[in-house]
Amino acid sequence: MNLDDLRRNRNLLFWALHTLGWSAYLITQYVGALLYEKPASYIKVVLAAAVSGFLLSAPLRYAYRWLWGRRPPVIIAGALLAAWLTALAWRAVINYSYGVFVGDWMEGEPWYGIFTGALSSTYLLACWSGLYFGIKYYETLQQQREAALEASALAQEAQVKMLRYQLNPHFLFNTLNAISTLILDGQGKVANQAVGQLSEFLRHTLDQDPMKKVTLRQELAALDLYLGIEKLRFGDRLRLEFDIEDLANQALVPSLILQPMVENALKHAIAPREEGGRLRIEAHAGERVLKLVVQDDGPGLAVGVNLGEGRGVGFRNTRERLAVLYGEHQKLAVRFARPGLRIEIELPFERPVQP
């Protein structure tokens, strides 16, 4: 059993620490007896004190459970009272052990002497109580922190999935609209091919977990399925260029992170122009940063549109996904390419974990 298992099992953790504490008491008292050259019979008193202390202090745990969660003055007063009552019982056992093992050392001791002797025992049990409440408080904080982290992770996962799934209907609508246009133009054969490739692309996207990162090579393979559909639609009007470094292919990226950027470029830079246009995709890897680029040679942003506002659902969702997944360790920028726009994504460079 490792330390994590011990920490999660609170009952086992209590008895382990309880046993360790009273064992330390026994050892220190035994060493003290040897240093002060106490008689051998005194060792029996030390053993009786350790065993009785172990047994009598254990029920304090249940009293303190009842006190836990109440106001601090009530906890302090209740803990001191419980420690004092336990110390009285413990001192009675110790005094009895002295009488049995050491001799008539208590002759002349007044009856109320037990209360005086109980003061030092109360101090020891008060320290035991302080440790109990301190460890319990620390464990409670740890549980609250873990619960908060788990809740945050679940919320983050839900948000990322929502953003990813919001893209799918948006993409599906655009693609079906394009297939409908092909049918109306009398290009039934091409439309049929597009439907087949759409089916393959959707099968791929549904198999991908939105929280799971994929290598850029896998991301580009999925993007190729999407571009295959668009190639049927645009034909020679769509000219593709790729500049992908070998090292960048090994980097991990969120699944389908490029498709919304490409879709926006096709919609705003390629489709409106009779001559079509050029779409360029780049990927460059540094020691710590992966840079992805989607660039078109279209008309760019319309007059009055601020740089960085993006072009619809795809851009906005991509920005939000990156913010959720990477926080401040990412950047999404839109720049004028003259002609066209250049969308740059910077992410931390991550490699797949080797099994």
Side-chain angles (χ1 to χ4, degrees):
M1 178 176 291
N2 55 38
L3 291 178
D4 288 337
D5 293 334
L6 182 63
R7 187 175 65 83
R8 293 188 184 97
N9 191 331
R10 297 176 69 92
N11 189 57
L12 183 59
L13 177 64
F14 168 80
W15 287 111
L17 294 176
H18 189 62
T19 303
L20 181 64
W22 284 107
S23 298
Y25 170 84
L26 175 61
I27 293 171
T28 55
Q29 292 296 313
Y30 177 75
V31 172
L34 294 179
L35 291 176
Y36 287 99
E37 298 180 353
K38 297 285 186 178
S41 57
Y42 182 81
I43 304 302
K44 297 180 181 178
V45 177
V46 170
L47 181 60
V51 173
S52 60
F54 178 89
L55 295 175
L56 290 172
S57 61
L60 289 174
R61 178 192 186 193
Y62 303 100
Y64 293 163
R65 280 181 179 177
W66 180 81
L67 287 173
W68 184 254
R70 301 179 184 274
R71 293 181 301 131
V74 176
I75 294 177
I76 294 172
L80 289 176
L81 178 60
W84 182 70
L85 292 175
T86 304
L88 284 177
W90 187 30
R91 177 51 57 180
V93 173
I94 294 174
N95 288 353
Y96 178 78
S97 301
Y98 268 111
V100 172
F101 299 118
V102 177
D104 299 332
W105 69 279
M106 292 188 61
E107 289 185 1
E109 179 79 9
W111 66 270
Y112 54 81
I114 189 174
F115 294 100
T116 305
L119 291 178
S120 60
S121 301
T122 301
Y123 173 77
L124 180 63
L125 290 172
C127 292
W128 184 99
S129 304
L131 284 173
Y132 176 87
F133 282 112
I135 293 172
K136 189 172 181 66
Y137 180 71
Y138 173 78
E139 288 295 311
T140 302
L141 283 182
Q142 287 294 102
Q143 287 182 343
Q144 291 176 349
R145 185 178 294 114
E146 289 175 2
L149 289 174
E150 183 178 359
S152 176
L154 290 174
Q156 183 186 59
E157 180 178 353
Q159 185 176 0
V160 171
K161 287 184 177 181
M162 177 195 70
L163 293 171
R164 249 289 303 275
Y165 293 147
Q166 186 177 350
L167 286 175
N168 286 340
H170 178 261
F171 155 76
L172 187 59
F173 172 80
N174 288 343
T175 305
L176 290 177
N177 187 53
I179 293 174
S180 175
T181 301
L182 290 173
I183 295 174
L184 291 175
D185 290 344
Q187 303 183 54
K189 185 176 180 180
V190 177
N192 185 59
Q193 288 180 306
V195 170
Q197 293 191 344
L198 173 62
S199 174
E200 187 176 355
F201 178 77
L202 289 178
R203 186 182 298 112
H204 174 86
T205 59
L206 291 175
D207 287 341
Q208 289 293 333
D209 184 352
M211 290 299 294
K212 182 181 178 182
K213 296 176 183 177
V214 298
T215 63
L216 182 61
R217 190 185 304 277
Q218 293 171 310
E219 169 71 0
L220 291 175
L223 185 63
D224 188 59
L225 292 175
Y226 169 73
L227 287 174
I229 301 172
E230 298 301 334
K231 260 293 189 182
L232 292 174
R233 174 187 172 193
F234 291 107
D236 293 338
R237 294 174 59 211
L238 174 59
R239 298 180 294 279
L240 298 174
E241 294 181 5
F242 292 90
D243 180 13
I244 312 296
E245 295 181 358
D246 290 338
L247 182 59
N249 267 323
Q250 306 172 29
L252 289 176
V253 298
S255 61
L256 293 182
I257 198 66
L258 290 176
Q259 184 262 331
M261 303 295 96
V262 171
E263 184 178 353
N264 275 332
L266 295 176
K267 179 180 179 181
H268 295 277
I270 310 297
R273 297 188 295 166
E274 184 178 348
E275 72 276 16
R278 175 178 54 85
L279 180 65
R280 179 178 177 84
I281 299 173
E282 303 176 12
H284 309 284
E287 289 186 10
R288 299 183 180 180
V289 177
L290 173 70
K291 185 174 182 179
L292 305 174
V293 176
V294 176
Q295 181 175 333
D296 61 66
D297 61 353
L301 291 173
V303 177
V305 177
N306 294 327
L307 188 66
E309 284 186 354
R311 302 174 174 181
V313 175
F315 185 91
R316 184 170 61 253
N317 280 22
T318 300
R319 183 184 292 280
E320 292 179 10
R321 279 186 73 195
L322 293 175
V324 170
L325 290 171
Y326 298 101
E328 296 180 354
H329 304 290
Q330 53 82 27
K331 183 168 68 174
L332 177 59
V334 182
R335 308 185 190 280
F336 288 110
R338 293 183 177 84
L341 286 182
R342 178 181 175 91
I343 300 176
E344 298 178 355
I345 300 175
E346 291 188 7
L347 308 174
F349 183 82
E350 300 174 335
R351 292 176 181 267
V353 177
Q354 298 297 328

